[in-house]
Amino acid sequence: MKARYRQALVALGAAALLAVPLVVSDRYVLKVLTFVGVNSIIVVGLALLFGFAGQVSLGHAAFFGIGAYASAYLAGTLRMPWPASLAGAVAVAALAGWAVAMPSLRLKGHYLAMATLGFNEIMSVVFIEAKAVTGGIDGMGNVPFPSLGALELRTPATLYLLVWGVALLVIAAAANVVRRKPGRAMRALHATEPGAAASGVNVAAVKVQTFALSAALAGLAGALYAHTVGFISPSTFGLDLSILLMASVVLGGRESLAGPLAAMAVFTLLPYAGALVPGVSRVAAETIQDWVPDLVGLTVVVVLIVKSRRGGLTRPSGTTTDAGDVR
Amino acid sequence: MSGADALQFVASGLQNGAIYALMALGFTLVFASTGIINFAQGEFFMLGGMLVAAGVAAGVPLGACVIGAVAMTAAIGCLVERLALRPARSAGGLALVIITIGCSMLIKSGARHLFGPDERAVPPFTAGQPLRVAGALIDPQALWVIGLAVAAAAALTAVYRFTKVGLAMRACSISHDAARIVGIDTARVVMLAFGLAGALGALAGAAVAPVTQTAYDVGARMGLKGFAAALLGGLGDPVGAIVGGFALGLLESGAVAFVSGTYKDAVALVVLLAVLVLRPQGIVGRHLGEKL
């Protein structure tokens, strides 16, 4: 009964999301809500990777960027049809995820965090320096609108529907994955790796596959972003976004999709409070925008302290991490 | 490449290496006493440069600015440990690391509110023309950077080796429980480690600010480079951190000299990934086993 009630609620929420363009006609508001859809796709991938499989990534903005640049290059510079460039972008991002995951198999916890952060920073340099493909520091403009044959999606409402349509499919697919065998394997990995291995989970394969899937989703989000905005530049794909995404998953809680999605939606909408909520003064809106990073940072610190006192976000590792323990 | 060119590259490698060594020492002190990587270390570097720039702009003498910036950042380091990490003592290592990421966001954003988003310049510590050494030009500030780094590293090594505090720090790096049994206040040692890490980071930031300028967002990249240096020398070993820092600086210079300057910033990051993947215990480090 409870499960059916929940299903009905989810279906209602999805229908409401898709009905938004019928009610909202403000182009700007639709654009902001489209950003939330784009970020939802990345967050779902990161929730699978970190919230379920326990693998940290502070490099997801880089995969997002790889997808965006790949699709913009394939469709814009090479004039490939949009569906082909989208598929190409997802493939390139998945490959990048696989390439990062393979050597990182031996890395755990904070070493993996540092490695993925380093990867993000390397990609930031590449996005600026590989001018022939990326257009350098000034970015790439004139990314074509998504089109299928003669049908071109160019109004904010149709772009909104495209992004949210894909996002809802991704969320539904992820919800299915975590309920079934792959999801159990991910959770086992998070609980105890040797234990997972002993119960017949191929630890290395699950890690690499989850990483590649997660990167592919970020790449898909990047491709959709590039074609809906029409302009991309390196500053969008930096460490700040990676950390914001990670914070969403940390605050949203372990083994949850709804939690990280909600946290991310709040973080994404906050800077636009002035445009979305009637009656917010200009000064108040600017102040909110200015203090978003502080709010995110403070929330992360406070929530983790509270969680640690109530028995943990990560698996309790006995006492404080003792340098003596890692020797 | 002529001898003069080679000397020029070595000089700039040593200058950057000195900065990386200070940063690596900061990472190492915290890692040795807690077993975590402090992602806010880069922000300590940023604070050093920004506080000096703000002080100079307010008319405070430069020397006082540098000392003040180092002291203030040391206090902030202690606060990070006391307010954010100690209350979460019982959390796993990864949660603590994410807390340091949260702290770095707060420090960076705080600096933006206080000092604004623009780049800031800092005057050199001593005025003067670059010195000509065998055809290469050496900036006096480079000597300051290297001198201060060597002095700080020597002082720290002396403390670590010959004082009771250093002994307590070494004890904590071996085992917190054993240290507590012999009466060491481990909580205070950890706070001291964070304070020293803050001081070292700020000293690096203050010393190099006249050469490179500074801004509220310079922390992350320098943090990554400092961590790469610490890893190169084997995390947890102060001497290794210093060696790793200079090695990374010279490697970077070599890459610029022999390959190209375009991807200069990526060199340290590639080194970081390579060491992480190939030898997580560092080039000269001990093997870190893993426990179930």
Side-chain angles (χ1 to χ4, degrees), chain A residues 64 97 100 133 206 231 269 305 311:
Chain A
F64 179 54
V100 171
V133 174
V206 172
F231 169 79
L269 293 173
I305 289 173

Side-chain angles (χ1 to χ4, degrees), chain A residues 43 46-47 50-51 243-268 270 292-307 310 312-314, chain B residues 95 98-99 102 105:
Chain A
V43 163
L46 197 57
F50 181 62
I243 291 172
L244 188 76
L245 291 161
M246 190 69 202
S248 303
V249 177
V250 168
L251 298 176
R254 254 181 74 176
E255 297 189 6
S256 158
L257 292 174
L261 282 168
M264 182 279 313
V266 171
F267 290 153
T268 309
L270 266 178
V292 168
D294 306 68
L295 185 81
V296 176
L298 192 65
T299 322
V300 165
V301 172
V302 171
V303 166
L304 284 181
I305 289 173
V306 170
K307 275 188 174 172
R310 291 210 319 242
L313 146 110
T314 48
Chain B
I98 295 171
I99 287 177
M105 287 178 87

